[in-house]
Amino acid sequence: MVAAARAIESRRPDALARDPLAEHFVRAARASARWPVHPRDVPKGPDGADDPLWERLGGYFALRTRTLDDHLLRVTRLGARQVVLLGAGLDARAHRLGWPPGTTVFELDRAGVLAFKQRVLDRIGARATARRVPVACDLRLDWAGALAAAGFRAGEPTAWLAEGLLLYLPAAAESRLAATVDRLSAAGSSLAYEVKLGMEPAVVRRNPVYLAARDRLDIDLLDLFDDEPRPDTAADLAARGWSATTHTPFEFTRRYGRGPLPEPDDALAANRWTFAARGPLPGPRRREGGPGRG
């Protein structure tokens, strides 16, 4: 569903982010082969209104993509050369962003997801713009060993990303994940992630976004979200010495000039994006040979 939203966004003249691979992922899966991948294919909602699924929720995914793209590029341009995508799914950042030379993008997800992704990438001959390293693992369990075996270096600054992941993990798994990121992070590392502030009341659970996903795509988003009380991961990171700022997505709508705005009984109102850093972010690397040489 997120890949379809990115494909639709990519065809808009004022696109917040462009993902030329997204359409191929959507078409390759039997369940989504007929989903829209272009704005002209997006149906109207009831009474001719904008479609709540592909317009509002899809607009949210586009805004999230652009915001996190800019964050990761900023951190790597400041010197971090390791990027870890936690629950990478069909994320194509290793192929579509202009990474600094020497960047490695580790993609962590279940083996089946990564295998499907690789088949599509191989079929279309996609070329990565960074060193891409898929790492098959279950993020509910111990995944640090698999990451280390794939070449991750815990002594170097890392840009971690958990986009659309923590909402689906059990609370204990989220806490373990944050503790693992802390343990593996050198000074100058960052972590960006998305959370939802608990389960919404019944009136929000009847929001057209949720109803459209269930009725037209047979995806019950509310069934996918973990309903346990959520840990305060930002406070946990702060106690471990990280600095963290938390934002609503609507702040970035105003920043970029496009995206969802608040509405009554809003399915997006409880979503938060947090950006955390362990110590100062790294500065630009010096050229080999020291100042004034090379």
Side-chain angles (χ1 to χ4, degrees):
M1 186 173 67
V2 178
R6 287 177 175 157
I8 294 168
E9 180 69 16
S10 297
R11 301 292 184 88
R12 299 188 190 278
D14 57 349
L16 287 169
R18 300 189 188 277
D19 184 349
L21 302 184
E23 177 178 351
H24 297 282
F25 294 132
V26 176
R27 292 289 181 250
R30 179 165 43 185
S32 60
R34 297 184 180 275
W35 289 4
V37 292
H38 193 288
R40 65 169 175 257
D41 303 326
V42 173
K44 287 291 186 180
D47 304 321
D50 285 342
D51 180 78
L53 180 61
W54 300 118
E55 293 292 342
R56 182 164 181 79
L57 188 58
Y60 172 81
F61 291 142
L63 180 66
R64 186 180 71 182
T65 297
R66 172 61 180 275
T67 300
L68 297 176
D69 282 356
D70 287 353
H71 167 75
L72 291 175
L73 288 175
R74 172 181 172 268
V75 174
T76 53
R77 287 167 183 168
L78 286 173
R81 291 295 181 268
Q82 296 184 129
V83 177
V84 180
L85 305 179
L86 298 162
L90 304 179
D91 187 313
R93 288 185 171 95
H95 294 81
R96 63 179 181 79
L97 294 184
W99 299 104
T103 300
T104 298
V105 178
F106 296 93
E107 297 185 356
L108 277 62
D109 214 314
R110 293 172 297 165
V113 174
L114 294 175
F116 167 81
K117 185 176 186 177
Q118 192 63 55
R119 288 195 297 271
V120 176
L121 294 173
D122 290 344
R123 189 179 71 233
I124 64 177
R127 298 178 63 86
T129 56
R131 178 173 172 259
R132 172 179 173 261
V133 182
V135 182
C137 60
D138 187 332
L139 290 166
R140 297 169 297 180
L141 307 176
D142 181 9
W143 45 268
L147 181 59
F152 175 82
R153 299 178 296 276
E156 298 187 9
T158 302
W160 303 86
L161 176 62
E163 178 184 21
L165 169 67
L166 301 185
L167 298 72
Y168 308 103
L169 292 182
E174 177 178 338
S175 295
R176 286 195 301 270
L177 183 143
T180 302
V181 167
D182 173 69
R183 177 167 56 85
L184 298 180
S185 292
S189 295
S190 69
L191 168 64
Y193 62 91
E194 175 188 30
V195 295
K196 191 175 266 295
L197 301 179
M199 295 302 292
E200 295 98 341
V203 65
V204 175
R205 296 165 74 88
R206 294 192 294 270
N207 184 278
V209 162
Y210 292 141
L211 296 179
R214 186 192 65 198
D215 295 343
R216 286 198 270 116
L217 304 184
D218 198 26
I219 298 174
D220 192 332
L221 293 172
L222 292 166
D223 265 0
L224 297 178
F225 300 151
D226 190 273
D227 60 1
E228 294 181 344
R230 307 310 303 171
D232 189 341
T233 296
D236 181 34
L237 291 170
R240 297 172 183 270
W242 294 63
S243 60
T245 59
T246 298
H247 306 266
T248 71
F250 309 122
E251 295 175 52
F252 295 94
T253 295
R254 292 186 284 270
R255 176 180 299 182
Y256 290 107
R258 265 200 62 218
L261 291 169
E263 65 178 23
D265 306 323
D266 195 351
L268 304 179
N271 292 42
R272 296 292 184 271
W273 299 344
T274 296
F275 300 86
R278 182 169 192 176
L281 293 178
R285 290 186 172 183
R286 293 181 177 179
R287 296 179 181 176
E288 292 184 5
R293 297 181 59 187

